[in-house]
Every structure is written in C-alpha cells, then in structure tokens.
C-alpha cells in the first residue's frame, strides 16, 4: 500500500504509538532489573508494528484478546499507561487493582478482553466476542492476538473452525516471532507459514512482514473490513522478531548475539517506518524526536504514579471473586 | 391448596431455559446436539424450533473452543450463554477454559469483568456407561475459586436453580445427574427462582443428619423412611448448591442431631464428602456424639459391568449401615 493513501494523522499515530510502546517496554525492563516490577515480564520490543498496524483499524467498540506479551496490544488499543504501570508494580491503583499483573492486563471498557497467561487461551474469547457482535447486530469486530506457538494449541484450531462455520467477524493475528521460548519455528511445525492453516478451515490466510507497519496496515485493512462486512474471519500471520528474551532474565542460549544484532540493525520496525516518513516528507526529524520526548515524559509520569500509589490491603485479597454477594463462599477460612 | 402438576426433571430444566430465552435475548444455548436433536437427554427439546439456529447453536465437537467462545461472549458483555458439556467426563478437554479462564477472569481483572454464563453438564453412574461417561466430578469445580456449583436433586429445585443460575452474573456449573432426568415431581408452571447458596432440608429428623447430593438425596430419603418405622429419626439435608455452600443450615442440623453421615457419588479423596466432614469437625466438633461417616464410591474408575457398577455406586444398604453405625 502506498503511504500517500493513508491519512497523515494515522501515519503519525502509528509512529507515535510504536514509540510509546518501545519506550514503555525498555523502561519496564529497567524497572524489572531494579526489582520494582515483580513477577514474569514478557516484553514487546521489536514487535511494535504488529499491534500498531492492526489497531490502526480498530475502534473503541471493537474487541481484542491478547497474550502474555500483551503490553503493546493494550497501549495500541488505547489503554491508560498510568493504570497499567501501577498494575505492573502490583499497586491498588492498577488497572486490575494489583490482582492481575503483566500477564493479565485487561480493560473491558476499551474492548481489551485481557492478556492471558495460557498460550492460546484467549483465542476462543475473541470468537465469543465476535459471536456476541453478530447476534446483537453490531458492526464491531474482534481480533485475537497470539503467537506461532499457540498455533499448535487446540484453541487455535477449535476457535478458527467455529468462527469459520458461523462466519463470525473476527481476525486471527498470529505473531510469529520465530521462537516458542527456545524452540525455533522450524522445529514447531513443518509448514513454511502458519497462514497456510487458514485453508484447512476454509478462510483466507495471509502472511506479512511484521517489521513493516505499512504492510501490516494494508493486510489488516482488508481483513478487518471483510469481517466488518460480515464476510467472516481471516488468519494473518505476521512474521516478526522479539529483540529481547522470551521473558526478562532469559539467558537466550538458543540464538546467537549476531542474529539478534542483525534484526536490530536491519529490521527495527520503528527505524524502517521512520525512514519512510522522512523520505516522503510526512514528518521532520524534529517532529519525530518530539514524539520520543513526549513518550519518555508520559512513561516517567506513569512510573511516578505507580511508585507513589498505595499497595492493596489484606482486605482486598478476598474481594472480586464473585460479582454477587455470596454467603458460605469463604468456608476455607476455618 | 391447588394441586401442582408433576413434570420430569428434564422438563423442569427445559421450562427454565425456555423462560430465560423468552425473557432475555442475550440468553443463548450452545453445545453438541442441542439444536434439532434437542439435547442428548432431551433437555433443550423444542428450543431450536422456537428460537432458531442463531440462539440455539449446535457446535462442532470442540469443547474447549465452544466453552471458550461462551466465556468471551460473556466477558464482552454481549451474551449470557448457557453451554452444554454433554458429559462431565469430557471436562478434561476443556478444563482450561473453565478453571483458568471463566473462574479467574473477574478476579484477575480486579473485579472489572462479569462472566454471566452457565455450563450445564451431566454426571452420575448407573447406566453401564463405564469409566468415561459415568463420573461425578463436581469436586473439581468446587475446588477452584470463582465458579459457582449447583447440583439439584428434584424437578422443583432444578427449575428454580437453573433460572437463578442463568440470571447470575458469575460463571455457574450446573450439574445434572443422569439418573434424575426421568423422575417426576411437583413444579409450578410459573417461573420462580431458588437463591444460590440455600440448602434444603428434604426431611426433618432429630437423631442423625445425612448430607447428600443429587441422586444420593433420594437414596438417603428411602433409608430415612425405612428407619423411621424403627423409630430412628433421620434428617436429610440437600445443599443444592455446593458453591456457595449453605454452611449454616448444615451446621445447625449437625448441632441438632450430633451425628453426621455424608453421602456423595464423587470420589472419596479430596471430595465433597470430605469437605463436609472437615466442616463438621472444624465447626461443630463439640456437638458430635460419634465419628463422621462418609459414604462414597471407592477410589476406582467406574466399572462397566452392571454387576460391578452396582457395587461401586453407594447403596441404600451402605447408607443404612452408616446411620446405624453412628447411632
């Protein structure tokens, strides 16, 4: 897709959102190393173009389901970074009141049906949101994000099949970052592209370079418009690469430093897009630099908010199990 | 008092589904063979003809996929699905969507999501259906925080509890014992609800308390009736909902009689029966005049041959002996 066909404000939103995700993730890596962010943290550095290229087509009333590597999806869907940062810290002001953490960041209000600690676990939830959309006669869509590792999971196959037979408005986005923790893609399955699996369920399957946000944007546009028109689901395989380990603290014994450096130097989605914006005169170097500064400021404010926020209290442990009051539930407290 | 008509347990459930579907367009029914076929046990009969294929959805054999679909539709706030898992034994292929997803989403999201869905499923031995179609696995649901678990024993309770379950904003696992579908009992024609978390004393008594679930309620009532002739007064408490549990009613009965027998078709270890026994000794130890007796099947898979299965299922004789033992 030629860049001239995309509104300037969309292009700038895409660049800025990728920058916000990058700055956020690199800051979270520091905070984790400093012991301020506890738990398991999976970062999205290098994969920013995927969430952004897809989310450029989504509205607030569209739904997504995310993964353990979910910060980028949340930010691109319009999630509040202050609330998610406080969540990463485990604070009461967190988006999940400190009960979810990195792997469960969610905001149903903006259609973010949750990161998920179970690989493939969220795929059928997007199918369900799409079923709800269809039966309520809405023109929203649902997007399921998952990794290539999840494409061997039952929920991938069952979810896509159900969406196909019921012709639901859902787009399946497989973020193929080439490693299932340590196992390379070539040892996970014998087909060259996960997109080929669309054929098995009678839906279009298309592969795209996930380091090129414009390419992702173009493929997503067609798939999402198709879903919105009621023509059913599409499987998109986005070929990408994570610049950091599977989780923070990963010794990365399964890939070489040279390989990582090659991707950083040649396939950084932000650099690639920046070159296009500058070359086409869509933005100046100064304008783009301002976006970085703004993002750094935003993230620092979020960190400050998180650090200054109160911890949840012991009373909070037993809250939020059920939505209706129940007697006898906490019998275990003999 | 006007005579209340009698209908079967399956018909009572069907009335509850029909009422909820007529009242709220967000209520849909999903599962294997729930449409034209009307459900393998006939519970969804007629709904497909009345509400159409969009709201009565036959699914492929993809339990994780369609239960997960229900979870997503509920979490999105767009539907209130009632999903049928044909046999509770099939839980294994879909458990993640129930215990890691449906049960935990609300808590993990800091109370900012609701999962208004009902998972209807069947349990129970007695049909020579062998080890993978006969189990009573309610303990696996009770164990996990975030699920409400309902297990009715009569047509009246079935209708009122299913209405409450569908109207509840939390995930409810509604377990129907296969041996109960054909039993008849009085059921009002008009809709009514029975609150989740209220036990029912099926028979009052003063000498021994039996806490029993599902089909075991009926066996316990038979035993109680027989012993009544000998002057032994047995109280039969049916918790009806296992989560939330009506602890007060159970404890009050134990404190009144001082003797407890728990009868359950679940496996013996870490089960519902051991849970109630633990409740009794933790909260009513001073009232107990005898050791608590637990009657469950043995810790074996359910055998196929009717000759073996008869031995496996808790019998009236075993229940009667247990009552006599604690006296």
């Amino acid at each position: 897709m030629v860049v001239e066909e995309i509104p300037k404000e969309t292009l700038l939103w895409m660049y800025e959102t990728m920058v916000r995700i990058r700055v956020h993730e690199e800051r979270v890596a520091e905070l984790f190393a400093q012991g301020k962010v506890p738990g398991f943290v999976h970062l999205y550095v290098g994969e920013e173009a995927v969430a952004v290229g897809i989310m450029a087509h989504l509205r607030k009333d569209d739904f997504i389901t995310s993964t353990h590597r979910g910060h980028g999806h949340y930010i691109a869907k319009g999630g509040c970074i202050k609330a998610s940062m406080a969540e990463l810290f485990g604070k009461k002001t967190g988006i999940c009141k400190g009960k979810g953490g990195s792997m469960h960041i969610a905001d149903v209000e903006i259609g973010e049906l949750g990161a998920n600690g179970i690989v493939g676990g969220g795929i059928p939830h997007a199918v369900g949101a799409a079923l709800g959309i269809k039966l309520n006669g809405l023109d929203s869509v649902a997007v399921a994000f998952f990794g290539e590792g999840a494409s061997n999971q039952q929920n991938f196959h069952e979810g896509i099949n159900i969406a196909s037979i019921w012709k639901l408005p859902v787009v399946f986005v497989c973020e193929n970052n080439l490693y299932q923790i340590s196992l390379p893609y070539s040892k996970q399955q014998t087909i060259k592209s996960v997109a080929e699996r669309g054929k098995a369920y009678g839906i279009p399957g298309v592969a795209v370079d996930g380091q090129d946000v414009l390419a992702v944007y173009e493929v997503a546009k067609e798939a999402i418009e198709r879903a919105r028109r009621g023509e059913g689901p599409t499987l998109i395989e986005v070929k990408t690469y994570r610049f950091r380990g599977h989780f923070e603290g990963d010794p990365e014994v399964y890939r070489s430093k040279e390989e990582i450096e090659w991707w950083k130097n040649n396939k950084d989605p932000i650099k690639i897009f920046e070159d296009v914006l500058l070359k086409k005169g869509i933005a100046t170097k100064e304008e783009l630099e301002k976006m970085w500064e703004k993002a750094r400021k935003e993230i620092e404010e979020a960190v400050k908010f998180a650090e200054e926020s109160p911890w949840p209290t012991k009373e909070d442990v037993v809250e939020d199990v059920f939505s209706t009051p129940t007697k006898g539930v906490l019998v275990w407290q003999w | 008092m006007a005579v209340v008509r009698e209908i079967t347990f399956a018909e009572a459930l069907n009335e509850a589904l029909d009422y909820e579907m007529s009242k709220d367009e967000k209520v849909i029914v999903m599962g294997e063979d729930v449409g034209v076929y009307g459900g393998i046990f006939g519970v969804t009969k007629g709904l497909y003809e009345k509400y159409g294929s969009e709201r009565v959805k036959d699914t492929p054999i993809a339990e994780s996929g369609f239960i997960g679909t229900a979870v997503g539709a509920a979490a999105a706030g767009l539907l209130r699905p009632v999903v049928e898992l044909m046999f509770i034994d099939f839980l294994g292929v879909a458990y993640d969507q129930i215990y890691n997803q449906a049960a935990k989403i609300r808590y993990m999201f800091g109370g900012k999501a609701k999962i208004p869905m009902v998972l209807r499923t069947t349990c129970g031995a007695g049909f020579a259906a062998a080890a993978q179609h006969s189990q009573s696995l309610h303990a696996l649901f009770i164990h996990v925080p975030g699920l409400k678990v309902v297990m009715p024993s009569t047509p009246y309770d079935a209708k009122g509890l299913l209405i409450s379950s569908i109207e509840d904003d939390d995930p409810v696992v509604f377990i129907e014992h296969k041996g109960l579908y054909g039993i008849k009992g009085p059921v009002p024609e008009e809709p009514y609800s029975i609150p989740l978390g209220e036990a029912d004393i099926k028979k009052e008594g003063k000498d021994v308390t039996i806490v029993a679930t599902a089909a075991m309620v009926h066996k316990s009532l038979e035993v109680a009736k027989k012993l009544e002739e000998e002057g032994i007064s047995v109280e039969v408490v049916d918790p009806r909902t296992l989560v939330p549990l009506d602890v007060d009613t159970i404890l009050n009965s134990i404190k009144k009689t001082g003797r407890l027998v728990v009868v359950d078709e679940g496996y013996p270890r870490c089960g519902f029966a051991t849970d109630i026994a633990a409740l009794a000794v933790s909260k009513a130890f001073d009232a107990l005049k005898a050791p608590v007796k637990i009657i469950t099947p043995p810790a074996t898979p359910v055998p196929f041959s009717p000759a073996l299965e008869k031995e496996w299922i808790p019998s009236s004789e075993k229940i009667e002996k247990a009552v006599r033992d604690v006296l």
Side-chain angles (χ1 to χ4, degrees), chain B residues 54 59 109-110 132 134 143 150 163 172 175 233 236 256 310 326:
Chain B
E54 287 292 73
T59 63
F109 293 8
Q132 296 172 344
S134 302
H143 186 68
V150 179
I163 285 174
V172 178
I175 304 171
S233 171
V236 178
K256 179 173 74 174
K310 186 165 67 68
V326 298

Side-chain angles (χ1 to χ4, degrees), chain B residues 170-243:
Chain B
D170 295 313
V172 178
V173 181
F174 194 95
I175 304 171
E176 303 158 13
H177 193 291
K178 298 190 281 290
L180 297 176
Y181 281 132
I183 66 161
K184 279 194 166 185
V187 177
E189 286 185 41
E190 66 274 13
Y192 57 93
S193 56
I194 297 172
L196 305 186
E198 284 191 10
D200 186 38
I201 298 176
K202 293 292 190 222
K203 182 193 166 299
E204 290 199 13
K206 57 183 175 48
D207 298 328
V208 179
T209 296
I210 296 181
V211 173
T213 56
M216 294 300 127
V217 171
H218 298 276
K219 283 200 177 167
S220 301
L221 286 169
E222 270 172 43
V223 170
K225 198 176 164 192
K226 186 183 169 193
L227 294 174
E228 194 97 312
E229 291 161 14
E230 294 179 27
I232 300 169
S233 171
V234 178
E235 177 147 301
V236 178
V237 180
D238 176 2
R240 301 195 291 195
T241 66
L242 312 183
V243 180

Side-chain angles (χ1 to χ4, degrees), chain B residues 30-210:
Chain B
M30 286 167 57
E32 290 152 10
D33 309 295
V34 297
V36 178
Y37 199 96
I40 203 85
F41 295 104
V43 173
T44 56
K45 200 172 160 189
L47 298 177
Y48 181 86
E49 290 74 13
K50 196 165 171 183
Y51 299 103
S53 60
E54 287 292 73
R55 291 183 64 202
V56 182
K57 303 196 83 68
D58 278 315
T59 63
I61 301 171
E63 289 86 354
S64 183
F66 70 73
I67 292 172
T69 296
V71 173
L78 297 172
L79 296 172
R80 304 180 74 87
V82 181
V83 194
E84 183 172 313
L85 178 67
M86 195 183 277
F87 290 87
I88 203 167
D89 313 70
F90 302 169
L91 163 67
V93 296
Y95 199 28
D96 183 69
Q97 287 299 331
I98 303 161
Y99 92 109
N100 265 330
Q101 309 293 340
K104 296 185 173 72
I105 283 176
R106 180 175 176 77
Y107 191 83
M108 292 191 302
F109 293 8
K112 292 176 186 169
K114 288 178 177 171
I115 311 293
M117 66 173 280
V118 177
L119 180 73
R120 288 184 43 246
T121 188
T122 68
C123 77
F127 303 88
Q132 296 172 344
H133 285 77
S134 302
Q135 299 172 90
S136 290
L137 299 173
H138 41 291
L140 296 179
F141 297 105
I142 299 169
H143 186 68
V144 179
L147 299 172
K148 292 178 178 171
V149 184
V150 179
M151 208 166 173
S153 68
T154 66
Y156 178 86
D157 290 348
K159 180 172 173 179
L161 287 167
L162 186 53
I163 285 174
S164 292
S165 299
I166 297 171
E167 293 180 1
D168 199 278
D169 279 339
D170 295 313
V172 178
V173 181
F174 194 95
I175 304 171
E176 303 158 13
H177 193 291
K178 298 190 281 290
L180 297 176
Y181 281 132
I183 66 161
K184 279 194 166 185
V187 177
E189 286 185 41
E190 66 274 13
Y192 57 93
S193 56
I194 297 172
L196 305 186
E198 284 191 10
D200 186 38
I201 298 176
K202 293 292 190 222
K203 182 193 166 299
E204 290 199 13
K206 57 183 175 48
D207 298 328
V208 179
T209 296
I210 296 181

Side-chain angles (χ1 to χ4, degrees), chain A residues 42 44 66-75 102 105 112 115:
Chain A
H42 310 79
Y44 202 59
S66 175
T67 71
H68 54 284
R69 198 176 308 287
H71 306 162
H73 306 137
Y74 171 85
I75 292 170
S102 174
I105 282 177
E112 212 285 46

